[in-house]
Amino acid sequence: MAHITFIADLHLSDERPHLSDCFVRFMRTQGRASQALYILGDLFEFWVGDDEQSSVISLVQAEIRALTEQGIAVYFQHGNRDFLLGRQFAQKCGLTLLPSYHRIHYAGQAILLCHGDTLCMDDTSYQRFRRIVHQPWLQALFLALPLRWRLKIANHMRRDSQRQKGQKPADIMDVAPHFVDHIMAHYNVSVLVHGHTHRQAQHSVLHGQRFVLGDWRTTAPYLTLCDTGQWQVGEVTCE
Ligand code: LP5
Ligand code: MN
């Protein structure tokens, strides 16, 4: 049956080869069977610029290209780890970059897509951090640094983030319900799909449904929407 597929939070890196294997399996089965694939951010563990080269980067590009060359559209929204992924990477594999909020219409449903970090409004220190690192001048400055320095900074930021998360109450790292209602009304949708929180679920909300995608660990969870209007959760096992 014709359908579109959504994934997020794969966090691929050379340090996690089992996830790269899983990505290949996913793309060659579920990916290939879809009319379109939406990757809602954090495809990579982190991204420091399109000039970086590694086995996992080449592998991801080849698998995306294999789909786009067959006419299957692959879309990408930036996550909080790979917001620097740019046009150069996208052009190499025919990937379409989407803005941080993107509305689609499929099977008679109006659906809003986003990574999910912008919904966590109560995590005020993260929102401050996000505003800073999304400044174009700071990004340009960062991208002008030697690759080795950028990798060092990114690794430092990752460690810092893990430490900070350990000190934050769990509920502030979830979406703010009032903001979910606001954004769904603003975009006039009855479905919201996002990742980031890693709290895979389907919630009934004021304006309809909110689907939260799970992150990839021992399984690769995905969500599909059939042209009949039916939503389904699936997963590929990552050994
Ligand atoms: O990613 P995760 O799941 O660990 O936690 C996120 C939030 N953390 C982040 C940080 C990223 O993990 C770091 C990714 C590196 C990207 C590559 C380098 C690009 C550099 C570009 C420079 C222009 O997103 C975490 C949230 C959590 O999700 C749950 O939602 O809580 O937020 C934090 O940990 C951030 C801290 O709370 C805020 C730190 C203080 C901010 C001070 C501003 C300093 C700005 C310096 C800029 C160079
Ligand atoms: Mn994220």
Side-chain angles (χ1 to χ4, degrees):
M1 199 177 293
H3 64 271
I4 56 176
T5 301
F6 306 89
I7 52 174
D9 301 295
L10 288 68
H11 303 139
L12 300 179
S13 75
D14 281 329
E15 278 71 55
R16 297 192 192 122
H18 76 288
L19 289 183
S20 305
D21 294 347
C22 204
F23 182 71
V24 172
R25 249 194 341 274
F26 169 83
M27 292 297 269
R28 294 181 185 183
T29 54
Q30 187 55 37
R32 210 156 282 185
S34 307
Q35 285 182 308
L37 173 66
Y38 290 88
I39 305 169
L40 305 189
D42 288 356
L43 170 61
F44 292 100
E45 174 65 3
F46 58 75
W47 193 261
V48 295
D50 291 4
D51 56 329
E52 191 191 353
Q53 288 174 353
S54 72
S55 325
V56 71
I57 293 170
S58 309
L59 176 141
V60 169
Q61 279 181 332
E63 292 303 320
I64 294 176
R65 198 183 316 111
L67 255 60
T68 56
E69 279 176 352
Q70 280 185 26
I72 301 167
V74 183
Y75 299 98
F76 176 77
Q77 274 181 318
H78 292 110
N80 57 298
R81 311 262 192 100
D82 51 16
F83 57 87
L84 288 177
L85 191 144
R87 284 201 205 108
Q88 204 182 314
F89 176 93
Q91 271 164 9
K92 276 192 189 155
C93 50
L95 184 70
T96 305
L97 299 179
L98 298 177
S100 50
Y101 286 105
H102 183 68
R103 186 182 193 270
I104 60 167
H105 209 264
Y106 188 82
Q109 301 182 37
I111 305 152
L112 183 65
L113 309 176
C114 63
H115 175 57
D117 58 327
T118 54
L119 305 172
C120 302
M121 294 301 276
D122 298 333
D123 192 348
T124 50
S125 64
Y126 169 70
Q127 295 302 334
R128 191 174 66 239
F129 169 81
R130 189 181 189 278
R131 273 196 300 277
I132 296 170
V133 296
H134 277 257
Q135 293 287 331
W137 66 268
L138 187 60
Q139 293 189 357
L141 197 71
F142 179 79
L143 291 171
L145 296 173
L147 179 61
R148 203 163 32 90
W149 293 18
R150 280 178 274 150
L151 288 168
K152 243 191 171 151
I153 294 171
N155 276 307
H156 180 82
M157 285 168 108
R158 286 291 309 119
R159 274 197 299 277
D160 211 41
S161 179
Q162 263 149 350
R163 207 184 48 241
Q164 300 249 5
K165 281 201 301 188
Q167 291 163 5
K168 290 182 193 179
D171 59 327
I172 73 152
M173 290 188 282
D174 202 354
V175 302
H178 64 91
F179 191 72
V180 166
D181 295 343
H182 159 76
I183 208 78
M184 288 182 75
H186 180 79
Y187 282 92
N188 190 22
V189 293
S190 58
V191 184
L192 172 65
V193 182
H194 70 85
H196 181 67
T197 61
H198 306 174
R199 302 175 195 209
Q200 187 177 6
Q202 176 181 357
H203 301 274
S204 289
V205 292
L206 182 63
H207 300 292
Q209 298 294 310
R210 175 170 71 92
F211 289 94
V212 189
L213 297 164
D215 58 322
W216 287 27
R217 285 165 190 254
T218 51
T219 63
Y222 60 86
L223 181 68
T224 58
L225 172 58
C226 295
D227 58 359
T228 54
Q230 203 191 346
W231 289 87
Q232 264 171 350
V233 176
E235 61 180 32
V236 170
T237 306
C238 311
E239 275 115 32

